[in-house]
Amino acid sequence: MLRRIGVAVSVVFSAAGAANAWGATGHSVVTEIAQRRLNAETSKGVAELLGPGASLASIASWADDERVRDKTTIRWHFVSIPGTAIAYEASRDCVLDPALGDCLIAAIERQLAAVACSTQPLESRQRALKFLLHFVGDLHQPLHTIDGQGGGNGIVATLVTQEAVNGNLPYNSNLHSAWDARLIDKTTRSWGSSVERLESGWLETAVVSAVTAGTTIDWANESHLLSVAALKAVPSNIVLDDAYRRSNLPVLDGQLGRAGLRLGNLLNLAFATGQCTADQPN
């Protein structure tokens, strides 16, 4: 049973710098890792959709902007699996809300099908590719896969950075945002540095065939178990300090690395297939 936390969380960071959402930092890391692993056929297909020399990292956060414009895509960014559940159930966790959409798992499957369908209109495939790049990253942020405390958004966090220590006022955030950005940004100064650190670390020893095995649902269940652990592991003193960051860094590294490898593999398979299913997404 998840522990309900209704008190403020003080997040203490010693380094200065503005935080970027996972959509700006983590998503760029994931897409760059994937792009480095695209085969020639996929690279050609991506160039045909996005233009020659297109950087996947440069559009990795497009879907976050799009959900502001198109609110029917809002629920595509997460899947609310109950904290007391051990696995995803579509009938419970992916019910369609006509105004807000269904869920992350269904969205990934639809966008992947559209990218793979070579007879789809160019604009539809472009849109689907931009969604897919983002959603695979979302699936691997653990707090995008749990209903408890609104995915950590309900756990209020007071972020205390070096600027605050020097006299500026602290500002309020939440646990979800800390996992989205602060824990990553505190580790490296840029998403490019994060990629290089992973390439010479976690990715160097990863067994790609094992990492890329399984389905979207398998990966969601994997993230969900991590999210349950994350909500349970908020320190008793309600302070997320540098020791907390270091203890959770292996999880962050693993999820970013897995997302990049899996995204690259999905894209290679999609562009190799080029086949359409009967029901394509809009």
Side-chain angles (χ1 to χ4, degrees), residues 15-247:
N20 295 311
W22 182 292
T25 301
H27 284 294
S28 293
V29 171
V30 168
T31 50
E32 175 62 19
I33 290 170
Q35 186 153 25
R36 293 183 182 191
R37 288 158 176 82
L38 300 184
N39 59 36
E41 182 179 10
T42 302
S43 295
K44 179 176 180 291
V46 168
E48 290 172 352
L49 292 182
L50 302 179
S55 164
L56 299 187
S58 70
I59 57 172
S61 297
W62 172 87
D64 277 336
D65 295 329
E66 182 65 4
R67 69 178 171 183
V68 176
R69 189 195 69 80
D70 182 358
K71 296 190 185 305
T72 65
T73 71
I74 285 176
R75 292 179 63 179
W76 293 4
H77 292 257
F78 58 89
V79 54
S80 296
I81 305 172
T84 53
I86 61 172
Y88 165 80
E89 291 182 14
S91 61
R92 179 193 62 207
D93 307 327
C94 202
V95 178
L96 174 64
D97 180 330
L100 302 174
D102 45 20
C103 80
L104 178 56
I105 292 173
I108 288 175
E109 293 171 352
R110 284 194 301 271
Q111 308 315 316
L112 184 60
V115 170
C117 183
S118 58
T119 62
Q120 280 274 302
L122 177 65
E123 185 176 350
S124 295
R125 294 186 75 204
Q126 289 172 333
R127 178 177 169 86
L129 176 58
K130 289 188 285 187
F131 274 130
L132 183 63
L133 298 176
H134 188 89
F135 292 157
V136 173
D138 278 346
L139 187 68
H140 289 80
Q141 207 282 49
L143 295 176
H144 277 251
T145 64
I146 191 167
D147 191 36
Q149 291 286 347
N153 282 295
I155 301 176
V156 178
T158 301
L159 304 181
V160 184
T161 64
Q162 186 63 48
E163 293 95 326
V165 172
N166 289 337
N168 295 322
L169 294 175
Y171 55 94
N172 292 329
S173 185
N174 56 67
L175 183 67
H176 187 105
S177 293
W179 274 75
D180 264 351
R182 288 284 171 170
L183 301 180
I184 298 172
D185 293 339
K186 176 63 174 66
T187 302
T188 54
R189 300 183 70 87
S190 69
W191 68 261
S193 296
S194 293
V195 172
E196 296 310 322
R197 193 179 67 81
L198 287 170
E199 289 284 12
S200 61
W202 192 91
L203 289 164
E204 193 170 53
T205 59
V207 180
V208 177
S209 60
V211 171
T212 57
T215 66
T216 305
I217 293 175
D218 293 329
W219 304 340
N221 289 336
E222 179 183 80
S223 287
H224 177 64
L225 291 178
L226 292 173
S227 72
V228 171
L231 289 187
K232 287 182 177 179
V234 175
S236 59
N237 64 358
I238 320 298
V239 174
L240 307 186
D241 56 13
D242 202 52
Y244 177 88
R245 179 191 63 82
R246 288 193 298 268
S247 69

